[in-house]
Amino acid sequence: MIHMREYNPFEKKNVQFLVNKRIDYTTIQITQTGINKSTLDATAPVRSFFKEHGIHDYEHQLQGPDNKIFKETYILTETDFYKTQTALYRPVTKKGDPRLWIYGFTKYAHPDDIFAILVNKGILYVIVLTQVDLEKAFALGPRGIVRGRRMPLPNQRT
């Protein structure tokens, strides 16, 4: 069973924004342990989302650091976006439970924050729903113009 706290009113507003824009997403609550270890569990909903969107299928991934997969990633804030990468892997320890880590994420996330992962053309977009006002962040243009730069948004469902 996936244990995640309920959304607070601010996060609910952000989730509703994604729903209203018909943007597919998955969510994760980051923990202090996740921050300390620089690793997050790829929960069943996350694994399903990645598989459905052609990002990664953990079922076919071998364990160990040599089998780590890296995906281009953007961390989105209200005022900018930052290019990084996400590691998708299964450690040798335990049963090789699926994991992920977004490089540089601890600069933007805090324990108990909930973040959303979105996908567009094989690229991951990460938004801390606890901190970023999506309506404000995307108000500058239908395709997400931030500080004069055009940011490709995840495809909306039709």
Side-chain angles (χ1 to χ4, degrees):
M1 177 179 251
I2 308 306
H3 298 283
M4 191 166 83
R5 67 171 173 73
E6 290 187 29
Y7 297 132
N8 66 34
F10 185 78
E11 294 160 346
K12 284 181 185 176
K13 178 184 167 203
N14 280 330
V15 166
Q16 192 59 53
F17 178 87
L18 294 172
V19 170
N20 289 346
K21 295 292 184 184
R22 301 181 54 112
I23 297 174
D24 286 334
Y25 66 93
T26 190
T27 56
I28 298 177
Q29 179 180 347
I30 193 163
T31 64
Q32 184 66 57
T33 301
I35 289 174
N36 292 346
K37 292 185 174 183
S38 296
T39 187
L40 300 170
D41 290 332
T43 60
V46 171
R47 293 190 309 267
S48 176
F49 181 79
F50 285 172
K51 185 175 181 178
E52 177 184 329
H53 290 277
I55 293 297
H56 184 59
D57 186 350
Y58 283 98
E59 291 177 22
H60 300 292
Q61 185 175 22
L62 298 175
Q63 290 177 247
D66 292 341
N67 298 300
K68 216 178 253 193
I69 303 292
F70 294 93
K71 292 293 180 178
E72 182 178 353
T73 303
Y74 288 90
I75 299 170
L76 311 179
T77 70
E78 284 186 13
T79 59
D80 216 341
F81 55 100
Y82 304 91
K83 187 175 181 177
T84 187
Q85 62 182 352
T86 298
L88 310 174
Y89 59 98
R90 295 183 60 220
V92 175
T93 59
K94 297 185 182 182
K95 296 178 277 185
D97 293 337
R99 306 266 193 258
L100 67 96
W101 184 248
I102 304 156
Y103 288 85
F105 195 50
T106 55
K107 294 178 192 173
Y108 307 98
H110 307 289
D112 296 322
D113 280 355
I114 293 177
F115 66 94
I117 301 174
L118 299 72
V119 173
N120 185 31
K121 298 178 183 174
I123 299 171
L124 302 178
Y125 295 86
V126 178
I127 305 168
V128 182
L129 297 177
T130 309
Q131 300 173 26
V132 176
D133 184 335
L134 289 179
E135 195 169 323
K136 180 180 174 183
F138 294 106
L140 296 174
R143 296 299 294 159
I145 299 171
V146 181
R147 286 193 185 167
R149 297 191 298 166
R150 184 169 287 282
M151 175 183 60
L153 283 179
N155 291 336
Q156 297 175 351
R157 289 177 287 161
T158 56

